[in-house]
Amino acid sequence: MSGMRRPAAAAAAVGLTASLPYWLPRLVIDLRVRLFARINGEEGIPAPGPEVPVEEFKQVYGHPAANGRSQGAALSDLFWYWLAPGPEVHQEHLEPGPRYNDVARTTRQILAGLSRDQWTELVARCTRRVLDELDGPDGPDGCDGASGARVRRVRLRDLMMPVWAEVYYEVVFREPCPRHVRDMIVANADDVVSALKCTRLRHMDRRGRLTAYLRGRLASAPPPVPLPSLLTQRERAYYLQGTFFNTAVVQTSEAMAHLLLALASHRSVQDRLLTGAADADYLDHVINETLQHFPLFGVAHRITTGEIPRAGRPPIPAGSVLLFNYPAYQRSGAPDHQRFDPGRWLSADTRPTRFIPFGVTANRPCPARGFAVLTMRVAAEEVLRRFRLASSAEHTRSLPNRGPCLLIPRAGRPDARTWGPVGRAARLAGMRLGDRWAAIPRSLTQLVLGGYMVWDARRQGLCRNYFATAPGDSAGRVVAGNR
């Protein structure tokens, strides 16, 4: 009997091991979510949720009293921890008042300094320059074939970060970005997003180098648009670093990684673009569909500074922490939301009814909302002129795998080296298997590092201690010029 049990036990062990990629990462993610909820407490009111139904989402989100951003929420300690240094002057984390108004006005002025034609030229030029580097000595590892146009294995977020580092440097300073500065911006942005996704701990030396560079640059050659007058020189460096070289670079790189990975995963959609069969607006529809499936914002928290009255329901008290869940809200307005279908945007009768990719206009909308789709379209067109995209990696909103993808040279290029159907299928099968197994150690790393960073953020209490010690007015907000 024991002789029969041993082969059965061995077979069970092999089966369990082989199945690990299909259940362990999701189990670990669930444990991580539970751990975060336990550490952070039960302070938040989810929206949509039992207390804020989906029909009231935008009404509550856009109410003037839903305008607190940092003070009074335990979650703020965690976001300040991830965004240090300078989170107290990051535009997205400033409390409402003169300082926020001054910072937001400056951001709008910087971004509005370029016309649509100038944005188009700038993004196209920076994208071409980064793609040109793929053939040089600094190109990615894993290239197949001889020199020239080769099939490349890349991580799409990593591919896009240098593009947007160059773009936003030139937007701010109105001159091309030096390579060593681009490297500092990319290292800083990668550090921020990796910590946010709990795949790595923070590296404050990377952030410190960029801060030091910006402080020196502002002292010797400030940008043409005057920086916020209510900030000190040190705070102005933090403002540029946080707004443009953290958030703008990270969010736009993530958006492009999602877009390109969606094209790589949906061959019929990509073929329609590559063959010219699509109408002029089809790529914009693909971008909207991507932002519908993979919104850049997960949960935005706001602290109510006054009571929010509601017809037929109890008012939301002042001091409440509202947790606005973008993915849940957008899914609720998209029939058959699991299907990737850019065609749904062709008609007002079929497009999703709940779509807020850049936030709600009445409550700190994304400053880039006016040109984000334009710049994404320009960058995607530059990539598609050179490459066909292919990927079998898992595509999730958090994108912890950074978007594994194959860049296959377009057949029209004279030096292009591509594969037949068998070679393509083999490489994609290998990519899928590798991505699944890589998710096991990555998810365990996220569990350990995420738990540690949440605990450490609560221990340090950066936001809590800042508001406890900084001078404030009667509303508890920091008074400009007193710091």
Side-chain angles (χ1 to χ4, degrees), residues 311-384:
R313 298 180 67 85
I316 298 174
S320 300
V321 180
L322 294 164
L323 305 175
F324 295 102
N325 188 319
Y326 280 64
Y329 177 73
Q330 293 197 162
R331 284 195 301 267
S332 69
D336 194 16
H337 64 83
Q338 293 183 332
R339 183 167 56 94
F340 190 88
D341 178 18
R344 75 174 86 223
W345 297 89
L346 293 172
S347 168
D349 295 331
T350 57
R351 69 183 56 149
T353 58
R354 294 169 181 146
F355 183 56
I356 52 169
F358 306 110
V360 175
T361 304
N363 194 334
R364 300 185 185 228
C366 175
R369 64 193 183 280
F371 58 86
V373 172
L374 166 68
T375 56
M376 291 176 66
R377 182 201 319 134
V378 172
E381 288 172 343
E382 291 296 331
V383 174
L384 292 174

Side-chain angles (χ1 to χ4, degrees), residues 294-313:
F294 309 104
L296 295 177
F297 306 111
V299 176
H301 76 284
R302 297 289 187 269
I303 303 96
T304 57
T305 56
E307 184 178 271
I308 299 180
R310 295 181 295 170
R313 298 180 67 85

Side-chain angles (χ1 to χ4, degrees), residues 220-300:
S220 60
V225 175
L227 296 181
S229 60
L230 296 181
L231 300 184
T232 66
Q233 191 77 344
R234 174 181 62 86
E235 290 171 334
R236 291 170 187 167
Y238 287 157
Y239 155 67
L240 289 180
Q241 182 168 346
T243 302
F244 293 97
F245 306 129
N246 283 4
T247 301
V249 172
V250 166
Q251 293 286 54
T252 318
S253 300
E254 286 268 298
M256 282 304 305
H258 281 300
L259 172 61
L260 297 176
L261 191 58
L263 291 172
S265 304
H266 297 85
R267 189 170 181 178
S268 62
V269 174
Q270 186 179 174
D271 286 345
R272 186 170 174 179
L273 291 169
L274 294 179
T275 59
D279 59 54
D281 296 327
Y282 186 68
L283 183 51
D284 287 357
H285 299 327
V286 177
I287 293 171
N288 284 337
E289 183 72 355
T290 300
L291 294 174
Q292 171 70 26
H293 279 262
F294 309 104
L296 295 177
F297 306 111
V299 176

